[in-house]
Amino acid sequence: MAGRVNVGSGHDVPPEDTVEFDAYRTAALHEAVHGLRERSPVSSASVAFVPWQKYLGFAIAGAFVLALVVATKPTLIAFTVLCTFGYIATLADRLLLFTRGMARDAQFIVDDEEALALTDDQLPPYTVLVPAYNEPEVVGDLLAAMAALDYPADKLQVLLLLEEDDTVTIEAAEKAGLGESVEILLVPAADPRTKPKACNYGLHFTTGEIVTIFDAEDLPEPLQLRRVVVVFDRLGDDVACVQAKLAFHNGTQNLLTGWFTADYALWFNFILPGLMKSHSPIPLGGTSNHIRRSVFDEIGAWDPYNVTEDADLGVRIAESGYSTAVLDSTTLEEANSDPINWVRQRSRWYKGYLQTWLVHMRRPVRLWRVIGTAGMLRFTTLLAGTPIIACLNMVFWMTTLAWLLGQAELIEEIFPWYAYFPALISLVFGNVAVMYMNFVACRETGHSNLWWPCLTVPFYWVLMSIAAIKGTYQLIRNPSYWEKTFHGLSS
C-alpha cells in the first residue's frame, strides 16, 4: 500500500519489505500516539491541567469556599450577579452569531452543475478516513455510502480504520465487500483507544491532497467531495479546512432524536456559518471536515488524548493563522435515540470542549494575538462557557424549584430581588430566545414537523446539564477516557 506520512517520519512511502514495513508500522503508531505530545507538549491534552492551571483552580476554589464561610450572603449575591452577566453575554453573542449565520454568504454554495463540471484531471487525489470500532452493524451501509461518492475511483482512497483485535467489524467489512476504492487498514491495538489515534495512524498511509473523515454511520451527500474541491479552488491557501454540515436521518424517531435534530440544525446551519462570517475559531464537527493534507504537516494532526479532537484541531487551525469555510453540503448521521447513550456521547463532548479550552489557554497571549479579542471571547464562551453554563443550570433550576415549592422566604433571604429577578428574567428570556432559534433552524432546514421538540426543548437542557456535570467530573477523574457511542439503534 502506497502512502505519504507526516514530516519527520523518515519515509516517503511505506516500504513493501515485511521487516521494514513492520518497523514503519511501529514508527507510525508511535507518531500517532506521541507525535503531538513530543513536538509540542503544551498543545497536548495528555496532561489535563498544567501546574499553574491546577494551582490557580485550587486558589479560586479555596477563595470561594472561604468567602462563603466568612460572608455567605454577599458571596452568593456576587456569584449570582456574575453568572447572570455570563448568561446574558453568552446569549447575546449566540443571537449575534445566529443573525450573521442567516446571511446567504455565510456559507459556500456550490451547485450541482459546477461540481459536475470538474473533469477528472481537475480533481486532486482524495483520501477518506473512516475510523470504526466494534460497529459491525453499520459496515454494510458505510460501504454503500462510500460507493455512492461521485469521485473518480483512481483518485479516491477510502481507508477503513479498524483496530486489529476488532474481529467482528473486520469480518463484517470483508463479508460486505469492500469495493474498488476501499481498503482496510488495521490499527495496532494500543492505548489510548481513541478515534484521533486511529486517524493519526491512518494519516501515514494517505495518498490524497485533501483528507476528510466520515464516521462509520455517516451518509455523505454524493457530490460533497467535488463541492469541496470547488471551494478550495475559489479560496486562497489560507483556508485550511472546509466543514460540511451534519444532520440526522432519524429525527422523528422519538422526542430525543427530535431535540438532537433541532440542536444540530441550529449549530451547523447558523452558528458555524456565523462563526465563519465573524472570522472566529470554528470548533470542527467530528466528521465531514475536509483538510488540506499539507496543513497536517505544518500544524500537526489530531490530539489522541483529546476526546473532541476535531474541535481542538479547528482551534489549532485558527491559532496557526488559517481559516475554515462552511460548505452547504450535508452528511446524514444517526441521532442518538437512547437517553443513556446520548448522555455518554454528550458528556464526552463537554469534557473535550473543556480539554480544548484548557489546552489553548496555556498560551493565552499568543492565541489572543492571532484570533483577536472578539475571537478570544467567543472561543471562551463556546468551549468553556457551554459546559460550565450547562452545569450551573442545575444549580439555578434547583433554586427556582425551591422558590416555587414554598421556600420563597429562604430564597429571598439569600438572594435579594436585585440579584434574583434579573437572573430569573435572563433564564426566561434565554429559554424563549433559544426556542425561537430552534424553530427558525428547523423551518429553514425542512424540519417544520419538529415543532413539539422545539416547544419542549427545556427538558433537553436537563439532559445537557446531567451530561455536563458528568463530563466535568470525568475531566478530573479520567480526562482521556473515550466513552463509546453505540450506533445502529434507529428503527
Side-chain angles (χ1 to χ4, degrees):
M1 182 190 302
R4 180 170 54 173
V5 299
N6 279 339
V7 169
S9 65
H11 295 284
D12 291 325
V13 295
E16 296 187 5
D17 178 82
T18 302
V19 176
E20 291 184 2
F21 180 79
D22 286 343
Y24 177 85
R25 190 169 180 260
T26 301
L29 177 62
H30 180 86
E31 174 71 16
V33 175
H34 304 291
L36 180 64
R37 182 171 61 178
E38 290 178 348
R39 285 192 302 273
S40 179
V42 74
S43 300
S44 172
S46 57
V47 175
F49 305 89
V50 295
W52 72 262
Q53 289 176 326
K54 266 185 200 176
Y55 300 146
L56 181 61
F58 284 134
I60 292 174
F64 182 71
V65 171
L66 180 62
L68 279 176
V69 173
V70 175
T72 303
K73 186 174 178 180
T75 300
L76 290 175
I77 292 173
F79 178 74
T80 303
V81 170
L82 181 63
C83 290
T84 301
F85 176 78
Y87 271 98
I88 293 172
T90 301
L91 176 62
D93 187 59
R94 194 61 59 94
L95 287 169
L96 177 61
L97 291 175
F98 175 73
T99 56
R100 288 181 176 174
M102 295 178 73
R104 180 174 174 79
D105 62 347
Q107 53 187 293
F108 287 91
I109 299 173
V110 179
D111 59 36
D112 292 358
E113 290 184 3
E114 188 175 6
L116 292 169
L118 292 172
T119 65
D120 288 3
D121 292 339
Q122 294 174 302
L123 295 172
Y126 220 117
T127 295
V128 176
L129 301 178
V130 188
Y133 182 66
N134 196 25
E135 297 183 280
E137 66 281 350
V138 299
V139 166
D141 292 338
L142 159 68
L143 294 174
M146 295 301 99
L149 292 173
D150 189 328
Y151 211 81
D154 62 332
K155 290 195 170 185
L156 179 62
Q157 177 195 39
V158 180
L159 293 180
L160 184 54
L161 307 177
L162 304 179
E163 298 280 337
E164 62 182 2
D165 58 356
D166 184 11
T167 54
V168 290
T169 309
I170 295 171
E171 290 173 0
E174 292 174 342
K175 184 178 180 180
L178 297 179
E180 190 174 357
S181 301
V182 182
E183 302 170 84
I184 294 177
L185 180 61
L186 297 183
V187 180
D191 290 330
R193 292 293 188 104
T194 61
K195 171 182 170 183
K197 182 209 74 176
C199 290
N200 285 346
Y201 182 79
L203 200 60
H204 287 257
F205 299 84
T206 59
T207 58
E209 294 178 13
I210 303 173
V211 178
T212 190
I213 297 177
F214 291 126
D215 285 339
E217 79 279 9
D218 283 358
L219 301 173
E221 184 250 329
L223 290 177
Q224 187 173 121
L225 306 190
R226 286 177 169 269
R227 297 188 205 277
V228 169
V229 173
V230 172
V231 172
F232 273 130
D233 286 344
R234 285 184 191 174
L235 303 175
D237 292 338
D238 63 326
V239 176
C241 175
V242 175
Q243 172 71 64
K245 298 187 293 188
L246 304 179
F248 298 117
H249 57 74
N250 62 323
T252 58
Q253 181 178 344
N254 58 27
L255 186 59
L256 178 58
T257 62
W259 287 333
F260 208 177
T261 300
D263 189 11
Y264 261 41
L266 176 59
W267 180 254
F268 282 99
N269 291 277
F270 294 94
I271 303 302
L272 287 192
L275 286 169
M276 187 190 82
K277 189 78 172 172
S278 303
H279 305 289
S280 299
I282 294 180
L284 301 178
T287 175
S288 304
N289 43 73
H290 305 255
I291 302 172
R292 298 183 193 269
R293 179 61 180 80
S294 58
V295 171
F296 289 114
D297 294 331
E298 182 178 344
I299 71 172
W302 297 275
D303 183 354
Y305 296 95
N306 191 311
V307 295
T308 53
E309 75 293 339
D310 290 298
D312 170 68
L313 183 60
V315 177
R316 196 161 1 115
I317 285 172
E319 190 179 33
S320 302
Y322 288 104
S323 61
T324 296
V326 178
L327 172 67
D328 184 21
S329 176
T330 301
T331 296
L332 294 178
E333 295 191 314
E334 177 193 1
N336 254 313
S337 57
D338 176 73
I340 295 177
N341 199 37
W342 183 94
V343 168
R344 287 167 59 90
Q345 182 184 60
R346 186 55 66 102
S347 65
R348 173 169 60 81
W349 292 358
Y350 282 147
K351 178 172 68 172
Y353 269 26
L354 288 170
Q355 277 183 315
T356 300
W357 184 79
L358 286 167
V359 164
H360 291 277
M361 284 301 289
R362 292 170 184 173
R363 296 179 291 186
V365 175
R366 178 177 181 270
L367 180 63
W368 169 71
R369 285 175 178 168
V370 177
I371 66 176
T373 302
M376 192 76 167
L377 292 173
R378 199 160 278 132
F379 158 74
T380 298
T381 57
L382 281 175
L383 294 179
T386 300
I388 289 173
I389 285 176
C391 290
L392 289 174
N393 278 342
M394 189 66 73
V395 176
F396 286 104
W397 289 335
M398 292 299 100
T399 304
T400 303
L401 185 62
W403 183 54
L404 293 173
L405 292 179
Q407 302 298 320
E409 292 184 2
L410 175 63
I411 300 302
E412 287 175 4
E413 182 179 345
I414 300 175
F415 301 102
W417 66 268
Y418 56 83
Y420 183 79
F421 283 104
L424 182 62
I425 291 170
S426 72
L427 176 66
V428 173
F429 177 72
N431 288 348
V432 172
V434 176
M435 289 171 66
Y436 167 75
M437 288 190 285
N438 280 341
F439 270 113
V440 172
C442 287
R443 184 195 66 192
E444 294 299 315
T445 56
H447 294 103
S448 298
N449 57 331
L450 296 180
W451 60 270
W452 181 242
C454 289
L455 279 176
T456 57
V457 73
F459 294 103
Y460 183 55
W461 300 334
V462 175
L463 285 178
M464 285 185 174
S465 186
I466 294 171
I469 293 170
K470 179 172 178 281
T472 303
Y473 173 77
Q474 278 195 349
L475 177 67
I476 299 170
R477 297 289 299 173
N478 200 358
S480 293
Y481 172 61
W482 187 285
E483 283 203 275
K484 178 81 175 86
T485 301
F486 297 100
H487 301 292
L489 304 178
S490 60
S491 57

